[in-house]
Amino acid sequence: MDSVSNNKSPTQEPKENGERPKWDNKVQYLLTCIGFAVGLGNVWRFPYLCQVYGGGAFLIPYLIALVFEGLPLLHMELAIGQRLRMGSIGVWNSMSPYLGGVGLASLTVSFLVGLFYNTILAWVHWYLFHSFQNPLPWRDCPVNQNLTGYVSECEKSSPVNYFWYRETLNITPNIETHGSLQWWLVLCLATAWCLVYICFIRGIETIGKAVYVTATFPYLVLTIFLIRALTLPGATSGLVYLFTPNWETLKNPKVWLDAATQIFFSLSLAFGGLIAFSSYNPRKNNCERDALIVGLVNSATSIYAIPIFAILGFKANENYNDCRAGNILSLTNAFNVGDQNITTENYGDWLIHLNESNPSEVASLDLKTCNLQTFLDESASGTGLAFIVFTEAVIKMPGSQVWAVLFFVMLFSLGLSSMFGNLEGVLTPLLDLHMVPKRMPKEIFTGLMCLTSFGVALIFTMGSGNYWLGIFNSYVGSLPLLVIAFFEIIAVVYIYGIKRFSDDEWMTGKRPNIYWQATWRVISPLMLLVVFLAYVVVQAETQPTYEAWNPEYLNFPLADVQPYPGWVFAICVLLSVIPIASIPLVALYTFIGFLKKSIIDRKNPNPDENKYYSTDL
């Protein structure tokens, strides 16, 4: 196997090629890695999975996936980045020229994910700007043009839905109707990329300063939310519901699949960002301890996000009370019952009595079914949780503007820290491979990269942009990462050599124990393979569809579930295949170069005649 480190002993410190930037201190490095790993998914994905998959029972497959899949891969990425002090392309190309495509795949995924991730930050900006208004603009429906009532689309749905789908996205009824660029989203997107550029302008020098705020502020906000949430009526119902275990759900294979993919994506593995960050470390560093700290803090943060569901428990309680109050008003008006005679406490008794005496009249009122459990079961994740469910809950909280501002600033901090890793996963490999002209300052190159990303991401600011963002999220940030991670661990264990990797004290800080050995050699690759195959089977068995917001839909405001058109589904497939196509293509290109060189060497035994030839990428 060709490798740049073939001639170095495992315990010999390699020579440094040029002056490489370094972290000011260990805290900066750990905060940056934690900020990259801890992202929006910790707040709006993990609690959702706990809710729909048996509450506390979901923690069992989640922790198993963390121990046998997440931590070993995290340790491995930090170790190789620290040892070889390169970005993703340089690291894998150094281990073998045939593996250069693995790093290129990580770079491509980081670029594509960064496009839509920063668009979410643009949406957060839009909501943050409006959170200072009193009342909040998503509290009430707007008046129609004739000033004779409210806008019908809002009346049929709700103020929070209308503000999200119409005032923010101005969404089209289907993905084939593209719509125009929404200027307010374009401005918010430009602002988001400008902030990323300012924080990233001098690489880890400015990132290291920014993470003191972006990586720590979310914990302050979550603590404030926790204290406030526990004082709200109905909050305990949300927490009890969230963590009441339903052991039967563990029999569902999809629970284990979602647990494995959640821990994998939550740690931001295979993006190349962690490799890049660790490459700025001293070579002699305890990366095993770093991996444990980052992995455990990431998982603890997911659990610490429970205040979100305490607030959703408060929302469910408020909706339950509103439902009963509406029914009480209908009964009071229909049966001429004196005011205050029917209360929330005796509502059940009155309903039984009136049903027995006047069943036909009660049936004609079309009373709503008010069940607290039903309101608690209304689950949502992702943008639905952040921009619809939570915003509705905030309206009902005293001082709603303060809580809205805190929530969206927290989301922005989480997203910005993750964007640092995505951009680092793109820039570091390109700079390490000297693909940037030496006369071009790094600041200008970073600016051009942000400007290019902004230009491509304009697709998400169109009327159909939300549909396309969902496609990118589902097809770029899933299957390609599983494939990349599988090739990463196979490369280290079976190509670089696990014995050589374990003996390399400069790479791991000390010889890995039996736990790391077993997971790297067998357990982690096997788990990745099983998760990959299960994911492919699940995707193959389901027809790809998307939920459209269509006011003309017969059952509006329910989502109009539509299948993807053929040309859109083709793009979905391409988004899954193109990032990882570089893995076999680079290996094939290198092998062809090797064959050509072998043929030329046989024809021309004198090596000086062919000294210009190289198969290295």
Side-chain angles (χ1 to χ4, degrees), residues 520-578:
W520 284 333
R521 289 174 186 268
V522 180
I523 301 175
S524 294
L526 186 60
M527 283 189 68
L528 279 172
L529 183 60
V530 170
V531 170
F532 168 75
L533 294 176
Y535 183 88
V536 171
V537 169
V538 169
Q539 292 298 316
E541 290 179 346
T542 57
Q543 181 184 14
T545 58
Y546 68 102
E547 295 184 349
W549 179 261
N550 183 8
E552 304 300 323
Y553 180 51
L554 183 62
N555 297 320
F556 183 81
L558 295 178
D560 183 7
V561 180
Q562 303 180 19
Y564 283 122
W567 66 274
V568 174
F569 181 66
I571 293 177
C572 296
V573 175
L574 287 176
L575 287 174
S576 295
V577 173
I578 287 178

Side-chain angles (χ1 to χ4, degrees), residues 7-26:
N7 299 323
K8 299 180 178 70
S9 66
T11 56
Q12 176 185 350
E13 182 179 8
K15 295 180 180 180
E16 188 71 57
N17 294 324
E19 187 64 27
R20 188 172 186 82
K22 296 180 180 179
W23 299 104
D24 289 346
N25 52 66
K26 186 66 172 286

Side-chain angles (χ1 to χ4, degrees), residues 331-342:
L331 291 174
T332 301
N333 293 335
F335 294 98
N336 295 320
V337 180
D339 291 341
Q340 308 301 323
N341 282 350
I342 305 178

Side-chain angles (χ1 to χ4, degrees), residues 344-574:
T344 54
E345 288 76 16
N346 63 20
Y347 165 73
D349 295 333
W350 268 98
L351 184 60
I352 294 173
H353 168 68
L354 293 174
N355 255 325
E356 292 175 348
S357 57
N358 301 282
S360 58
E361 289 188 45
V362 172
S364 66
L365 296 177
D366 290 328
L367 298 178
K368 296 179 181 178
T369 301
C370 302
N371 187 295
L372 180 60
Q373 188 67 33
T374 302
F375 289 112
L376 287 170
D377 285 338
E378 293 176 349
S379 57
S381 68
T383 55
L385 173 64
F387 301 114
I388 298 178
V389 177
F390 193 84
T391 51
E392 185 178 352
V394 164
I395 294 172
K396 302 177 183 294
M397 296 171 61
S400 54
Q401 286 79 13
V402 175
W403 302 110
V405 169
L406 282 175
F407 179 69
F408 289 113
V409 171
M410 177 189 71
L411 289 186
F412 177 74
S413 298
L414 287 170
L416 188 60
S417 297
S418 297
M419 275 302 299
F420 293 158
N422 286 325
L423 199 55
E424 189 71 34
V426 176
L427 293 178
T428 300
L430 296 178
L431 292 171
D432 286 348
L433 293 177
H434 307 291
M435 298 181 68
V436 182
K438 290 184 178 180
R439 63 180 179 274
M440 179 183 291
K442 182 180 179 181
E443 294 83 356
I444 294 180
F445 178 69
T446 303
L448 290 175
M449 183 62 66
C450 290
L451 186 62
T452 302
S453 299
F454 166 73
V456 178
L458 287 176
I459 184 179
F460 302 124
T461 65
M462 298 191 303
S464 60
N466 187 50
Y467 303 135
W468 286 108
L469 188 140
I471 287 174
F472 271 67
N473 183 37
S474 299
Y475 292 94
V476 174
S478 54
L479 185 65
L481 292 174
L482 291 172
V483 175
I484 293 169
F486 179 75
F487 276 96
E488 282 185 353
I489 200 164
I490 291 299
V492 169
V493 175
Y494 298 107
I495 298 179
Y496 184 83
I498 188 61
K499 183 179 184 303
R500 184 179 175 197
F501 180 80
S502 302
D503 291 341
D504 196 338
E505 294 180 8
W506 286 101
M507 187 178 287
T508 56
K510 60 180 181 179
R511 183 171 180 82
N513 57 37
I514 186 64
Y515 160 69
W516 300 113
Q517 295 278 350
T519 51
W520 284 333
R521 289 174 186 268
V522 180
I523 301 175
S524 294
L526 186 60
M527 283 189 68
L528 279 172
L529 183 60
V530 170
V531 170
F532 168 75
L533 294 176
Y535 183 88
V536 171
V537 169
V538 169
Q539 292 298 316
E541 290 179 346
T542 57
Q543 181 184 14
T545 58
Y546 68 102
E547 295 184 349
W549 179 261
N550 183 8
E552 304 300 323
Y553 180 51
L554 183 62
N555 297 320
F556 183 81
L558 295 178
D560 183 7
V561 180
Q562 303 180 19
Y564 283 122
W567 66 274
V568 174
F569 181 66
I571 293 177
C572 296
V573 175
L574 287 176

